[in-house]
């Protein structure tokens, strides 16, 4: 009866016996609540105030004023012209298409 132990990365160990293979997953200890990353704002929830940048029909970022949202959208369009970028006004619930900046 021979036993071999192999390491498959940081969290998996395999032990082989003569008739079967046993795989065991080692779990990381839980992080305390205060050390976990916290995202104060989710972009996929329709905002009730301010403005949001909408890329290809999905909410991506929230802004306090419309000019900042338009500037971010125009910069994104300059880098990726195939995208459809809009600014969503939460107060009026209207989406406005962002045009790419003219380069030249």
């Amino acid at each position: 009866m021979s036993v071999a132990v192999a390491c498959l990365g940081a969290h998996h160990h395999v032990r082989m016996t003569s008739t079967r293979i046993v795989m065991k997953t080692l779990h990381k200890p839980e992080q305390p609540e205060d050390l976990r990353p916290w995202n104060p704002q989710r972009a996929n929830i329709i905002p009730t105030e301010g403005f949001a940048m909408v890329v290809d029909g999905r909410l991506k970022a929230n802004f306090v004023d419309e000019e900042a949202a338009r500037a971010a959208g125009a910069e994104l369009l300059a880098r990726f012209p195939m995208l459809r970028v809009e600014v969503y006004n939460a107060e009026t619930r209207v989406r406005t298409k962002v045009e790419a900046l003219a380069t030249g």
Side-chain angles (χ1 to χ4, degrees):
M1 177 162 83
S2 64
V3 176
V5 177
C7 181
L8 300 174
H11 304 296
H12 299 285
H13 291 280
V14 175
R15 184 180 68 210
M16 296 179 0
T17 63
S18 60
T19 58
R20 63 185 177 143
I21 297 175
V22 178
M23 188 167 187
K24 181 179 177 184
T25 302
L26 303 176
H27 297 284
K28 288 184 176 179
E30 286 290 322
Q31 289 182 341
E33 295 252 350
D34 56 337
L35 295 179
R36 291 183 185 161
W38 180 64
N39 187 2
Q41 216 173 33
R42 289 180 47 189
N44 63 347
I45 296 176
I46 297 174
T48 56
E49 59 185 28
F51 299 87
M53 183 170 57
V54 182
V55 179
D56 288 340
R58 295 178 184 254
L59 294 166
K60 293 296 181 181
N62 296 323
F63 297 90
V64 175
D65 63 342
E66 186 175 10
E67 284 303 313
R70 286 194 175 284
E75 181 182 330
L76 189 64
L77 273 175
R79 291 177 47 205
F80 305 101
M82 76 292 287
L83 295 176
R84 185 184 78 218
V85 180
E86 300 166 323
V87 172
Y88 173 77
N89 184 336
E91 185 177 313
T92 61
R93 297 183 182 173
V94 174
R95 292 181 182 193
T96 307
K97 184 176 179 182
V98 175
E99 300 295 331
L101 295 175
T103 58

